[in-house]
């Protein structure tokens, strides 16, 4: 009888252990091989410090990566999987944009307080626009041939992309982070984290026409726009949440938990997906169907890999991995799965 009791108690512990393991397994992040497949790992030896922003030349399959901590702009060929060139001598390069029809690269320099305009073939500086302290995000309006640069304590500078002439400024209540332009409309949406809202700008009037509060959620840095579905996606760090605004009403439509330290996010219109890269070492992949969200995957990357760029024309998601410990600086290129 004593032996039977021992067997019974032992069996209970084994079953309890199995149940505990099952519960833990249910909390394990979903792996993303069915959504993002690692296609290339491109080493960037000698690159130190953090990365900031990307741009792409789709026709030649080149990506431009601002290596802010290294004071360089890294140019990588996706076709060959190799680094083509490293533009030296920049002062904390931040935002970058490429104008394909002009073959010009626009690079903002935070410490340099300017925008450098580079030739897209030789990478030589052809023009410099100064007077842009803490220059940051850059966007190119291909229809108007204009470049927008966020800078300072609260402004967007507007440049003529052809001549490089400064056309004017749009004043804001704080330093602008990520911003997005409508392609079929005249609005521009800007994250202003110190003010706790998104500023809505009329590009023709060059004025703020509305502000949408992020409420109790702070540190709104990255942003993506689903213009067709009328969704504005805003990534926040405190707490780590994704806010979804209805761009018609301006109302907060939904919130989702995301990984920590997000700095980039992108809307995949073809698949109705959202990719959120986080410095915590993960890319969150969400499926969006109307008002319904579901997480498809948490794709592991590396600590500090919060800078990314989605290239819809190539079905590629590029993630910049910084040098940390034994992990060298590199570019990881994921193929987006159907």
């Amino acid at each position: 009888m004593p032996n039977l009791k021992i067997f019974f108690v032992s069996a209970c512990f084994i079953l309890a252990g199995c149940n505990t393991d099952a519960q833990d397994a249910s909390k394990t992040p979903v792996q993303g091989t069915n959504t993002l497949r690692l296609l290339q790992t491109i080493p960037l030896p000698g690159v130190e410090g953090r990365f900031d922003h990307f741009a792409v030349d789709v026709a030649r399959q080149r990506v431009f990566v601002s290596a802010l901590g290294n004071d360089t702009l890294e140019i990588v060929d996706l076709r060959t999987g190799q680094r083509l060139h490293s533009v030296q001598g920049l002062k904390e390069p931040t935002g970058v944009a490429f104008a394909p029809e002009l073959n010009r690269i626009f690079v903002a320099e935070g410490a340099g307080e300017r925008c450098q305009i580079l030739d897209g073939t030789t990478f030589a500086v052809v023009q410099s626009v100064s007077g842009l302290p803490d220059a940051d995000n850059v966007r190119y309006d291909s229809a108007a041939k204009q470049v927008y640069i966020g800078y300072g304590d609260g402004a967007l500078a507007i440049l003529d992309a052809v001549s490089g002439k400064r056309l004017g400024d749009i004043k804001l209540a704080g330093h602008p982070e990520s911003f997005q332009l409508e392609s079929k409309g005249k609005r521009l949406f800007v994250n202003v984290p110190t003010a706790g809202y998104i500023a809505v700008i009329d590009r023709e009037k060059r004025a703020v026409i509305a502000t949408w509060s992020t409420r109790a959620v702070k540190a709104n840095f990255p942003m993506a726009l689903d213009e067709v579905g009328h969704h504005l996606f805003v990534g926040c760090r405190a707490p780590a949440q994704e806010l979804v605004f209805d761009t018609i009403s301006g109302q907060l439509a939904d919130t989702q938990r995301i990984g920590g330290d997000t700095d980039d996010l992108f809307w995949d219109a073809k698949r109705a997906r959202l990719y959120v890269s986080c410095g915590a070492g993960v890319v969150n992949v969400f499926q969006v169907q109307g008002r319904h969200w579901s997480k498809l995957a948490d794709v592991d990357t590396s600590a500090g890999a919060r800078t990314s760029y989605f290239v819809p024309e190539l079905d590629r998601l590029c993630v910049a991995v910084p040098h940390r410990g034994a992990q060298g600086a590199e570019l990881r290129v994921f193929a987006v799965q159907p």
Side-chain angles (χ1 to χ4, degrees):
M1 191 70 176
N3 291 338
L4 182 59
K5 286 182 179 180
I6 292 171
F7 174 81
F8 179 76
V9 172
S10 299
C12 288
F13 274 113
I14 291 171
L15 289 172
C18 290
N19 288 339
T20 301
D21 290 342
Q23 290 171 357
D24 290 343
S26 70
K27 296 177 183 179
T28 301
V30 179
Q31 295 305 303
T33 53
N34 60 332
T35 56
L36 297 175
R37 178 175 58 86
L38 184 60
L39 186 66
Q40 296 171 303
T41 298
I42 305 171
L44 298 173
V47 175
E48 300 295 337
R50 74 179 180 91
F51 295 96
D52 207 2
H53 297 292
F54 275 85
V56 65
D57 171 7
V58 174
R60 285 178 277 187
Q61 295 191 29
R62 304 179 302 172
V63 292
F64 310 104
V65 192
S66 290
L68 181 149
N70 202 57
D71 290 333
T72 59
L73 180 72
E74 303 298 318
I75 295 97
V76 176
D77 189 329
L78 296 180
R79 292 171 299 186
T80 63
Q82 296 181 339
R83 175 166 55 185
L84 284 174
H85 188 71
S86 181
V87 179
Q88 305 287 322
L90 300 174
K91 297 180 179 180
E92 294 187 1
T94 49
V96 56
F98 180 64
E101 65 275 26
L102 304 175
N103 195 31
R104 291 287 184 267
I105 308 166
F106 297 82
V107 186
E109 291 181 290
E113 302 188 357
R114 61 189 174 186
C115 177
Q116 299 277 42
I117 305 175
L118 312 181
D119 181 275
T121 302
T122 66
F123 311 119
V125 177
V126 296
Q127 196 171 349
S128 183
V129 180
S130 59
L132 298 169
D134 198 15
D136 200 346
N137 278 270
V138 180
R139 297 288 183 271
Y140 177 54
D141 182 346
S142 58
K145 300 292 187 294
Q146 293 179 351
V147 175
Y148 290 83
I149 305 168
Y151 78 98
D153 293 332
L156 295 178
I158 309 169
L159 307 183
D160 182 295
V162 178
S163 68
K165 180 181 177 181
R166 191 163 175 171
L167 302 176
D169 284 23
I170 302 171
K171 297 299 181 182
L172 296 163
H175 180 77
E177 290 297 334
S178 183
F179 57 92
Q180 299 295 329
L181 289 71
E182 288 181 326
S183 61
K184 301 184 187 322
K186 59 182 181 179
R187 292 184 300 176
L188 185 158
F189 306 96
V190 191
N191 270 329
V192 189
T194 56
Y197 61 58
I198 294 98
V200 183
I201 292 172
D202 184 310
R203 303 206 304 267
E204 293 179 355
K205 296 178 180 179
R206 296 184 183 175
V208 176
I209 57 174
T211 58
W212 300 342
S213 174
T214 60
R215 303 181 185 180
V217 186
K218 307 298 181 184
N220 48 312
F221 286 90
M223 175 188 289
L225 176 64
D226 167 18
E227 195 167 353
V228 174
H230 308 293
H231 293 137
L232 184 71
F233 305 101
V234 177
C236 302
R237 299 177 186 169
Q241 287 189 7
E242 180 68 31
L243 307 184
V244 187
F245 286 86
D246 184 311
T247 59
I248 297 176
S249 67
Q251 297 299 308
L252 183 63
D254 198 4
T255 64
Q256 292 289 329
R257 292 179 61 185
I258 58 174
D261 194 28
T262 181
D263 203 46
D264 274 319
L265 58 92
F266 295 91
W267 172 246
D268 181 347
K270 185 193 302 185
R271 299 170 183 83
R273 290 180 189 167
L274 191 72
Y275 309 111
V276 185
S277 59
C278 308
V282 67
V283 173
N284 301 139
V285 183
F286 292 95
Q287 186 75 55
V288 184
Q289 294 178 328
R291 300 292 183 189
H292 179 68
W293 283 64
S294 60
K295 181 182 280 189
L296 292 182
D298 288 330
V299 182
D300 291 335
T301 53
S302 185
R306 64 184 193 177
T307 299
S308 65
Y309 197 88
F310 174 56
V311 188
E313 297 89 348
L314 304 176
D315 289 328
R316 298 288 183 267
L317 179 72
C318 303
V319 179
V321 176
H323 175 203
R324 289 193 177 182
Q327 172 62 61
E330 62 189 24
L331 185 68
R332 295 183 191 177
V333 183
F334 294 87
V336 178
Q337 301 295 91

